[in-house]
Amino acid sequence: VDPNRFGRIAAQTFKQVLSQKLREAETRQIHEVFAAKMHDVVSGTVIRKEAQSVYVQVNKVETELPRKEQVPTEPYRLNDRMRVYVLKVDDTMRRMRVIVSRTHPNLVRKLFELEVPEIAQGVVEIVSVAREPGQRTKVAVRTSDERVDPVGACVGPRGARVQAIVDELYDEKIDIVPWSEDPRTYLTNALSPAKVN
């Protein structure tokens, strides 16, 4: 085909069809990459900041970390490697957007699953996570096996496991407390290191 013979309308039509096909291919790729990763943690690299958002590249797909999902104390420098929690795939705008989060409590939950084999195996269970992003997180744990110390398993030898998570969260403090069915005991544990009168 000799493109020089195209009229203005033919060229315009070609341009529109090509753009549409590219958008469809992009959408397909996003779906393939993120269909299995919804509500999970993925690793990416900060590629740019624009307006209030930070953009993190995950598997060649650009994901968006909006202002309300950012932790105010985190720097988000270019080329920083970080893990993010996949919140949703949003296709309400003209293009597909993958929204990720650094503030979601499940980010901490998933990081513990990755770091602590006992949690991944189901021996230790995270009952609850309370988080003030950038400041402190409290994680309540219990176990189905009385031979296992759930708090010790999460802390790891010389604190190695919890330290890996603290480093990932830019030195956010993490308290791991034993869960209890007795509300009084549970509250006392959860409030530690404060002493309850």
Side-chain angles (χ1 to χ4, degrees):
V1 178
D2 177 12
N4 293 320
R5 295 214 321 273
F6 284 3
R8 189 177 59 81
I9 293 169
Q12 196 70 35
T13 308
F14 170 73
K15 183 182 167 189
Q16 283 167 351
V17 171
L18 184 64
S19 297
Q20 187 184 348
K21 292 289 180 202
L22 281 169
R23 270 202 305 275
E24 284 170 11
E26 193 178 15
T27 303
R28 255 201 322 280
Q29 186 198 10
I30 290 172
H31 266 302
E32 280 164 17
V33 172
F34 289 98
K37 304 231 182 270
M38 283 298 286
H39 309 302
D40 207 348
V41 167
V42 292
S43 205
T45 308
V46 176
I47 48 171
R48 64 192 170 93
K49 291 181 178 180
E50 198 173 279
Q52 307 268 308
S53 293
V54 173
Y55 291 87
V56 181
Q57 187 158 16
V58 178
N59 290 1
K60 301 194 177 115
V61 175
E62 194 178 89
T63 65
E64 185 179 340
L65 181 65
R67 177 74 180 271
K68 67 175 190 293
E69 300 300 337
Q70 297 170 21
V71 179
T73 54
E74 293 183 348
Y76 304 119
R77 292 177 297 259
L78 277 186
N79 300 321
D80 270 3
R81 296 273 309 156
M82 62 171 54
R83 285 170 168 163
V84 289
Y85 180 75
V86 182
L87 263 188
K88 61 178 178 183
V89 177
D90 177 16
D91 53 3
T92 49
M93 311 284 276
R94 279 201 313 271
R95 60 190 182 82
M96 294 280 283
R97 287 158 64 226
V98 178
I99 307 294
V100 294
S101 173
R102 283 284 295 179
T103 59
H104 204 286
N106 281 353
L107 174 66
V108 178
R109 190 184 283 271
K110 293 287 181 184
L111 290 174
F112 269 101
E113 284 174 18
L114 292 169
E115 285 296 333
V116 182
E118 288 87 343
I119 293 177
Q121 291 155 11
V123 179
V124 173
E125 180 197 351
I126 294 178
V127 184
S128 181
V129 178
R131 187 170 182 216
E132 282 183 55
Q135 306 299 318
R136 184 183 292 272
T137 291
K138 299 251 184 190
V139 181
V141 292
R142 68 175 167 199
T143 179
S144 50
D145 183 345
E146 40 268 18
R147 292 168 304 175
V148 175
D149 167 20
V151 175
C154 294
V155 171
R158 294 206 184 92
R161 289 171 177 176
V162 78
Q163 191 55 49
I165 297 169
V166 168
D167 293 344
E168 174 64 45
L169 298 176
Y170 291 93
D171 293 336
E172 185 173 311
K173 292 179 177 60
I174 296 178
D175 297 339
I176 302 159
V177 299
W179 186 82
S180 169
E181 281 184 9
D182 171 39
R184 179 174 268 174
T185 310
Y186 182 32
L187 277 169
T188 309
N189 294 345
L191 289 167
S192 70
K195 292 278 177 279
V196 177
N197 293 336

PDB file of all heavy atoms in Angstrom, residues 174-195:
ATOM      1  N   ILE A 174       6.706  -1.240  64.670  1.00  0.00           N
ATOM      2  CA  ILE A 174       5.755  -2.352  64.594  1.00  0.00           C
ATOM      3  C   ILE A 174       5.742  -3.086  65.933  1.00  0.00           C
ATOM      4  O   ILE A 174       6.779  -3.547  66.406  1.00  0.00           O
ATOM      5  CB  ILE A 174       6.120  -3.333  63.460  1.00  0.00           C
ATOM      6  CG1 ILE A 174       6.015  -2.612  62.114  1.00  0.00           C
ATOM      7  CG2 ILE A 174       5.209  -4.551  63.481  1.00  0.00           C
ATOM      8  CD1 ILE A 174       6.397  -3.443  60.921  1.00  0.00           C
ATOM      9  N   ASP A 175       4.563  -3.141  66.553  1.00  0.00           N
ATOM     10  CA  ASP A 175       4.390  -3.901  67.799  1.00  0.00           C
ATOM     11  C   ASP A 175       3.611  -5.171  67.471  1.00  0.00           C
ATOM     12  O   ASP A 175       2.560  -5.103  66.832  1.00  0.00           O
ATOM     13  CB  ASP A 175       3.588  -3.096  68.837  1.00  0.00           C
ATOM     14  CG  ASP A 175       4.311  -1.819  69.251  1.00  0.00           C
ATOM     15  OD1 ASP A 175       5.537  -1.749  69.066  1.00  0.00           O
ATOM     16  OD2 ASP A 175       3.652  -0.892  69.749  1.00  0.00           O
ATOM     17  N   ILE A 176       4.143  -6.298  67.927  1.00  0.00           N
ATOM     18  CA  ILE A 176       3.434  -7.569  67.727  1.00  0.00           C
ATOM     19  C   ILE A 176       2.942  -8.023  69.096  1.00  0.00           C
ATOM     20  O   ILE A 176       3.735  -8.144  70.031  1.00  0.00           O
ATOM     21  CB  ILE A 176       4.372  -8.621  67.114  1.00  0.00           C
ATOM     22  CG1 ILE A 176       4.913  -8.096  65.780  1.00  0.00           C
ATOM     23  CG2 ILE A 176       3.640  -9.934  66.891  1.00  0.00           C
ATOM     24  CD1 ILE A 176       6.167  -8.765  65.327  1.00  0.00           C
ATOM     25  N   VAL A 177       1.639  -8.221  69.212  1.00  0.00           N
ATOM     26  CA  VAL A 177       1.064  -8.568  70.518  1.00  0.00           C
ATOM     27  C   VAL A 177       0.285  -9.875  70.420  1.00  0.00           C
ATOM     28  O   VAL A 177      -0.297 -10.174  69.381  1.00  0.00           O
ATOM     29  CB  VAL A 177       0.145  -7.435  71.053  1.00  0.00           C
ATOM     30  CG1 VAL A 177       0.931  -6.154  71.247  1.00  0.00           C
ATOM     31  CG2 VAL A 177      -1.033  -7.188  70.138  1.00  0.00           C
ATOM     32  N   PRO A 178       0.302 -10.666  71.511  1.00  0.00           N
ATOM     33  CA  PRO A 178      -0.481 -11.911  71.493  1.00  0.00           C
ATOM     34  C   PRO A 178      -1.975 -11.615  71.608  1.00  0.00           C
ATOM     35  O   PRO A 178      -2.388 -10.840  72.463  1.00  0.00           O
ATOM     36  CB  PRO A 178       0.030 -12.684  72.716  1.00  0.00           C
ATOM     37  CG  PRO A 178       0.707 -11.677  73.582  1.00  0.00           C
ATOM     38  CD  PRO A 178       1.087 -10.504  72.745  1.00  0.00           C
ATOM     39  N   TRP A 179      -2.762 -12.218  70.740  1.00  0.00           N
ATOM     40  CA  TRP A 179      -4.210 -12.055  70.775  1.00  0.00           C
ATOM     41  C   TRP A 179      -4.765 -12.909  71.913  1.00  0.00           C
ATOM     42  O   TRP A 179      -4.215 -13.949  72.262  1.00  0.00           O
ATOM     43  CB  TRP A 179      -4.811 -12.510  69.454  1.00  0.00           C
ATOM     44  CG  TRP A 179      -6.281 -12.246  69.349  1.00  0.00           C
ATOM     45  CD1 TRP A 179      -6.880 -11.087  69.002  1.00  0.00           C
ATOM     46  CD2 TRP A 179      -7.337 -13.186  69.603  1.00  0.00           C
ATOM     47  NE1 TRP A 179      -8.247 -11.232  69.018  1.00  0.00           N
ATOM     48  CE2 TRP A 179      -8.560 -12.506  69.386  1.00  0.00           C
ATOM     49  CE3 TRP A 179      -7.375 -14.525  69.999  1.00  0.00           C
ATOM     50  CZ2 TRP A 179      -9.796 -13.112  69.553  1.00  0.00           C
ATOM     51  CZ3 TRP A 179      -8.602 -15.135  70.163  1.00  0.00           C
ATOM     52  CH2 TRP A 179      -9.808 -14.438  69.936  1.00  0.00           C
ATOM     53  N   SER A 180      -5.860 -12.455  72.527  1.00  0.00           N
ATOM     54  CA  SER A 180      -6.485 -13.237  73.592  1.00  0.00           C
ATOM     55  C   SER A 180      -8.000 -13.125  73.483  1.00  0.00           C
ATOM     56  O   SER A 180      -8.520 -12.074  73.094  1.00  0.00           O
ATOM     57  CB  SER A 180      -6.030 -12.718  74.957  1.00  0.00           C
ATOM     58  OG  SER A 180      -6.823 -13.298  75.967  1.00  0.00           O
ATOM     59  N   GLU A 181      -8.693 -14.205  73.828  1.00  0.00           N
ATOM     60  CA  GLU A 181     -10.159 -14.164  73.800  1.00  0.00           C
ATOM     61  C   GLU A 181     -10.703 -13.307  74.938  1.00  0.00           C
ATOM     62  O   GLU A 181     -11.819 -12.812  74.856  1.00  0.00           O
ATOM     63  CB  GLU A 181     -10.728 -15.588  73.896  1.00  0.00           C
ATOM     64  CG  GLU A 181     -10.670 -16.309  72.563  1.00  0.00           C
ATOM     65  CD  GLU A 181     -11.319 -17.675  72.594  1.00  0.00           C
ATOM     66  OE1 GLU A 181     -11.963 -18.010  73.602  1.00  0.00           O
ATOM     67  OE2 GLU A 181     -11.157 -18.400  71.608  1.00  0.00           O
ATOM     68  N   ASP A 182      -9.909 -13.170  75.986  1.00  0.00           N
ATOM     69  CA  ASP A 182     -10.339 -12.344  77.120  1.00  0.00           C
ATOM     70  C   ASP A 182     -10.054 -10.879  76.789  1.00  0.00           C
ATOM     71  O   ASP A 182      -8.895 -10.495  76.623  1.00  0.00           O
ATOM     72  CB  ASP A 182      -9.570 -12.767  78.377  1.00  0.00           C
ATOM     73  CG  ASP A 182      -9.810 -11.799  79.533  1.00  0.00           C
ATOM     74  OD1 ASP A 182     -10.963 -11.347  79.683  1.00  0.00           O
ATOM     75  OD2 ASP A 182      -8.847 -11.494  80.261  1.00  0.00           O
ATOM     76  N   PRO A 183     -11.107 -10.053  76.679  1.00  0.00           N
ATOM     77  CA  PRO A 183     -10.908  -8.658  76.254  1.00  0.00           C
ATOM     78  C   PRO A 183      -9.935  -7.896  77.142  1.00  0.00           C
ATOM     79  O   PRO A 183      -9.146  -7.090  76.653  1.00  0.00           O
ATOM     80  CB  PRO A 183     -12.310  -8.038  76.336  1.00  0.00           C
ATOM     81  CG  PRO A 183     -13.259  -9.186  76.359  1.00  0.00           C
ATOM     82  CD  PRO A 183     -12.526 -10.354  76.938  1.00  0.00           C
ATOM     83  N   ARG A 184      -9.979  -8.183  78.440  1.00  0.00           N
ATOM     84  CA  ARG A 184      -9.113  -7.456  79.371  1.00  0.00           C
ATOM     85  C   ARG A 184      -7.639  -7.752  79.076  1.00  0.00           C
ATOM     86  O   ARG A 184      -6.805  -6.839  78.981  1.00  0.00           O
ATOM     87  CB  ARG A 184      -9.486  -7.852  80.806  1.00  0.00           C
ATOM     88  CG  ARG A 184      -8.641  -7.166  81.858  1.00  0.00           C
ATOM     89  CD  ARG A 184      -9.170  -7.497  83.234  1.00  0.00           C
ATOM     90  NE  ARG A 184     -10.132  -6.483  83.668  1.00  0.00           N
ATOM     91  CZ  ARG A 184     -10.839  -6.568  84.789  1.00  0.00           C
ATOM     92  NH1 ARG A 184     -10.737  -7.634  85.557  1.00  0.00           N
ATOM     93  NH2 ARG A 184     -11.665  -5.606  85.119  1.00  0.00           N
ATOM     94  N   THR A 185      -7.338  -9.053  78.907  1.00  0.00           N
ATOM     95  CA  THR A 185      -5.949  -9.452  78.607  1.00  0.00           C
ATOM     96  C   THR A 185      -5.524  -8.879  77.255  1.00  0.00           C
ATOM     97  O   THR A 185      -4.411  -8.365  77.106  1.00  0.00           O
ATOM     98  CB  THR A 185      -5.847 -10.992  78.553  1.00  0.00           C
ATOM     99  OG1 THR A 185      -6.455 -11.527  79.722  1.00  0.00           O
ATOM    100  CG2 THR A 185      -4.410 -11.462  78.465  1.00  0.00           C
ATOM    101  N   TYR A 186      -6.426  -8.976  76.284  1.00  0.00           N
ATOM    102  CA  TYR A 186      -6.111  -8.515  74.924  1.00  0.00           C
ATOM    103  C   TYR A 186      -5.805  -7.019  74.921  1.00  0.00           C
ATOM    104  O   TYR A 186      -4.815  -6.570  74.334  1.00  0.00           O
ATOM    105  CB  TYR A 186      -7.285  -8.846  73.992  1.00  0.00           C
ATOM    106  CG  TYR A 186      -7.075  -8.478  72.538  1.00  0.00           C
ATOM    107  CD1 TYR A 186      -5.815  -8.507  71.958  1.00  0.00           C
ATOM    108  CD2 TYR A 186      -8.160  -8.110  71.738  1.00  0.00           C
ATOM    109  CE1 TYR A 186      -5.636  -8.189  70.620  1.00  0.00           C
ATOM    110  CE2 TYR A 186      -7.990  -7.789  70.402  1.00  0.00           C
ATOM    111  CZ  TYR A 186      -6.721  -7.821  69.847  1.00  0.00           C
ATOM    112  OH  TYR A 186      -6.550  -7.505  68.524  1.00  0.00           O
ATOM    113  N   LEU A 187      -6.645  -6.241  75.618  1.00  0.00           N
ATOM    114  CA  LEU A 187      -6.421  -4.787  75.683  1.00  0.00           C
ATOM    115  C   LEU A 187      -5.100  -4.461  76.358  1.00  0.00           C
ATOM    116  O   LEU A 187      -4.357  -3.592  75.906  1.00  0.00           O
ATOM    117  CB  LEU A 187      -7.568  -4.106  76.451  1.00  0.00           C
ATOM    118  CG  LEU A 187      -8.822  -3.811  75.630  1.00  0.00           C
ATOM    119  CD1 LEU A 187      -9.965  -3.396  76.545  1.00  0.00           C
ATOM    120  CD2 LEU A 187      -8.529  -2.720  74.612  1.00  0.00           C
ATOM    121  N   THR A 188      -4.806  -5.172  77.434  1.00  0.00           N
ATOM    122  CA  THR A 188      -3.542  -4.941  78.152  1.00  0.00           C
ATOM    123  C   THR A 188      -2.352  -5.213  77.222  1.00  0.00           C
ATOM    124  O   THR A 188      -1.400  -4.435  77.163  1.00  0.00           O
ATOM    125  CB  THR A 188      -3.458  -5.848  79.403  1.00  0.00           C
ATOM    126  OG1 THR A 188      -4.659  -5.694  80.154  1.00  0.00           O
ATOM    127  CG2 THR A 188      -2.275  -5.478  80.275  1.00  0.00           C
ATOM    128  N   ASN A 189      -2.445  -6.342  76.489  1.00  0.00           N
ATOM    129  CA  ASN A 189      -1.384  -6.679  75.533  1.00  0.00           C
ATOM    130  C   ASN A 189      -1.264  -5.605  74.444  1.00  0.00           C
ATOM    131  O   ASN A 189      -0.176  -5.186  74.069  1.00  0.00           O
ATOM    132  CB  ASN A 189      -1.660  -8.028  74.856  1.00  0.00           C
ATOM    133  CG  ASN A 189      -1.605  -9.183  75.827  1.00  0.00           C
ATOM    134  OD1 ASN A 189      -1.099  -9.053  76.926  1.00  0.00           O
ATOM    135  ND2 ASN A 189      -2.139 -10.326  75.411  1.00  0.00           N
ATOM    136  N   ALA A 190      -2.432  -5.185  73.932  1.00  0.00           N
ATOM    137  CA  ALA A 190      -2.439  -4.244  72.797  1.00  0.00           C
ATOM    138  C   ALA A 190      -1.897  -2.880  73.198  1.00  0.00           C
ATOM    139  O   ALA A 190      -1.304  -2.180  72.370  1.00  0.00           O
ATOM    140  CB  ALA A 190      -3.861  -4.109  72.259  1.00  0.00           C
ATOM    141  N   LEU A 191      -2.098  -2.497  74.438  1.00  0.00           N
ATOM    142  CA  LEU A 191      -1.632  -1.178  74.894  1.00  0.00           C
ATOM    143  C   LEU A 191      -0.150  -1.165  75.265  1.00  0.00           C
ATOM    144  O   LEU A 191       0.420  -0.102  75.475  1.00  0.00           O
ATOM    145  CB  LEU A 191      -2.475  -0.682  76.083  1.00  0.00           C
ATOM    146  CG  LEU A 191      -3.903  -0.284  75.717  1.00  0.00           C
ATOM    147  CD1 LEU A 191      -4.741  -0.122  76.969  1.00  0.00           C
ATOM    148  CD2 LEU A 191      -3.920   0.994  74.912  1.00  0.00           C
ATOM    149  N   SER A 192       0.451  -2.358  75.390  1.00  0.00           N
ATOM    150  CA  SER A 192       1.871  -2.376  75.746  1.00  0.00           C
ATOM    151  C   SER A 192       2.668  -1.669  74.628  1.00  0.00           C
ATOM    152  O   SER A 192       2.230  -1.676  73.485  1.00  0.00           O
ATOM    153  CB  SER A 192       2.359  -3.819  75.906  1.00  0.00           C
ATOM    154  OG  SER A 192       2.385  -4.445  74.626  1.00  0.00           O
ATOM    155  N   PRO A 193       3.778  -1.001  74.903  1.00  0.00           N
ATOM    156  CA  PRO A 193       4.535  -1.021  76.164  1.00  0.00           C
ATOM    157  C   PRO A 193       3.952  -0.173  77.296  1.00  0.00           C
ATOM    158  O   PRO A 193       4.534  -0.132  78.371  1.00  0.00           O
ATOM    159  CB  PRO A 193       5.897  -0.488  75.728  1.00  0.00           C
ATOM    160  CG  PRO A 193       5.601   0.387  74.561  1.00  0.00           C
ATOM    161  CD  PRO A 193       4.437  -0.242  73.861  1.00  0.00           C
ATOM    162  N   ALA A 194       2.812   0.522  77.078  1.00  0.00           N
ATOM    163  CA  ALA A 194       2.217   1.280  78.190  1.00  0.00           C
ATOM    164  C   ALA A 194       1.727   0.309  79.245  1.00  0.00           C
ATOM    165  O   ALA A 194       1.214  -0.761  78.941  1.00  0.00           O
ATOM    166  CB  ALA A 194       1.049   2.116  77.676  1.00  0.00           C
ATOM    167  N   LYS A 195       1.906   0.678  80.514  1.00  0.00           N
ATOM    168  CA  LYS A 195       1.457  -0.174  81.613  1.00  0.00           C
ATOM    169  C   LYS A 195       0.013   0.213  81.975  1.00  0.00           C
ATOM    170  O   LYS A 195      -0.300   1.388  82.059  1.00  0.00           O
ATOM    171  CB  LYS A 195       2.345   0.017  82.845  1.00  0.00           C
ATOM    172  CG  LYS A 195       3.757  -0.518  82.630  1.00  0.00           C
ATOM    173  CD  LYS A 195       3.832  -2.014  82.852  1.00  0.00           C
ATOM    174  CE  LYS A 195       5.209  -2.565  82.577  1.00  0.00           C
ATOM    175  NZ  LYS A 195       5.475  -2.802  81.148  1.00  0.00           N
TER     176      LYS A 195
END
